[in-house]
Amino acid sequence: MHRLSPANYQSSETADSSGDKSLGTKIFEAYTKTANVATTLFPLWTVLFTAIALKKPSTFDFFTTEYFTAALAALMLSMGITLTPADFTAVASEPTSVLMQFSLCYAMMPLLALVLGKFFGLEAGLMAGMVLVGSINGGQASNLCTYIAKGNVALSVLMTTATTVGAIFMTPFLCKSLLGAVVPVDAKGIAMSTIQVVLAPIAVGMTANKFFPKLVKAILPFAPVVGVVSTCLLVASAVAQVADPIMNAGIGLQIPVLLLHLLGGIVGYWLPKLTGFGEVKSRTMAIETSMKSSAFGFLLAKLHFGEYIARVPSAVSVVWMALTGSMLAVIWRYIPVKDDE
């Protein structure tokens, strides 16, 4: 599997006979340096786009549902071209990683959300929204953050797919069990969305990687930049739609939501690590566990929870999920992976 950043690439153009670099080589090297810095500053771009969305939500009015879907597809395609079928075959041969992360997503995170909600004394409506955030599937942005963190992208994609499909059953079950609320979920809709914005672009990217390797090699240095831009637009669009609830949420809600994602990432790393999983898999599970599909949680709260206030935790989660995941990704980007996996 490719675990690459723009800085890993060098132009295929060679130096001329005098030993000087060609203009094309110089331009490409300048791009790779700039792209590497831009990718490293992923958390900063997330903060900047979030701030703009909160300050002036109308800035992202142009980013309609069609653009939102296209950006998700672009994000997945940019990850797909870094993968090969062999990567998925290798992951499928060791299903324990997927099962471990599934347990973290649908056992540890809902219980952590419940404990944090009670510890901070959240009222019933906010408590319901908090538990809902803990009970939803992993978000697609986790795949990009895994890529940046030098994790296992193929494993991340499978984990995202598994928890997304699992949301059909697990999210309603957890809400009923922990809250006594019945949350209907559009099973067919989730399945179709997973195919359209996750599996299909990944398949297209892998196919291109297999049959058009020279083309993929040429565009691969642009994949992280496409991923970062797509993710920033996705976060900003989601935040802009719920800017008022986020701004009106007090520190008493901001802190527990932040802790949910931060502690989720910490436990998601150390529990696998202490139970025998390697560094790369542990990083992958940590990011996948920390980064929930908060926008999906907001939609469910809007459609199926009677109190408006139940939507607010998901809205706040959109911000902290993106910041936590991007910061973990950039930190791990510069910590060498010692395991030979």
Side-chain angles (χ1 to χ4, degrees), residues 27 35 44 55 87 92-93 103 127 141 175 190 216 228 239-240 253 272 278 298 301 309 322:
I27 292 175
L44 177 61
K55 182 70 175 179
D87 295 325
S93 67
S103 299
M127 173 68 83
C175 288
I190 291 177
V216 168
V228 168
V239 169
L253 178 61
F298 181 83
I309 198 172

Side-chain angles (χ1 to χ4, degrees), residues 187-202:
K188 183 179 179 181
I190 291 177
M192 289 302 298
S193 294
T194 301
I195 293 172
Q196 291 172 355
V197 303
V198 178
L199 299 182
I202 289 288

Side-chain angles (χ1 to χ4, degrees), residues 101-117 126-138 163 167 170-172 174-175 178-179 256-257 259-261 264 288-294 296-298 300 305 310 313-314 317:
Q101 200 282 318
F102 194 91
S103 299
L104 289 167
C105 179
Y106 288 123
M108 185 274 289
M109 287 296 278
L111 292 176
L112 178 59
L114 187 64
V115 169
L116 287 171
L126 291 177
M127 173 68 83
M130 183 79 173
V131 170
L132 177 60
V133 171
S135 303
I136 52 180
N137 55 292
T163 58
M170 296 304 298
T171 300
L174 289 167
C175 288
L178 298 177
L179 299 172
V257 173
L259 288 176
L260 175 63
H261 295 291
E288 196 70 29
T289 301
S290 175
M291 301 187 73
K292 290 281 193 170
S293 185
S294 307
F296 179 55
F298 181 83
L300 289 181
F305 281 29
S314 292
S317 172

Side-chain angles (χ1 to χ4, degrees), residues 104 108 263-272 281-282 285-286 289:
L104 289 167
M108 185 274 289
L263 293 178
I266 293 172
V267 175
Y269 173 79
W270 282 109
L271 186 58
K281 291 180 180 178
S282 296
M285 282 187 260
T289 301

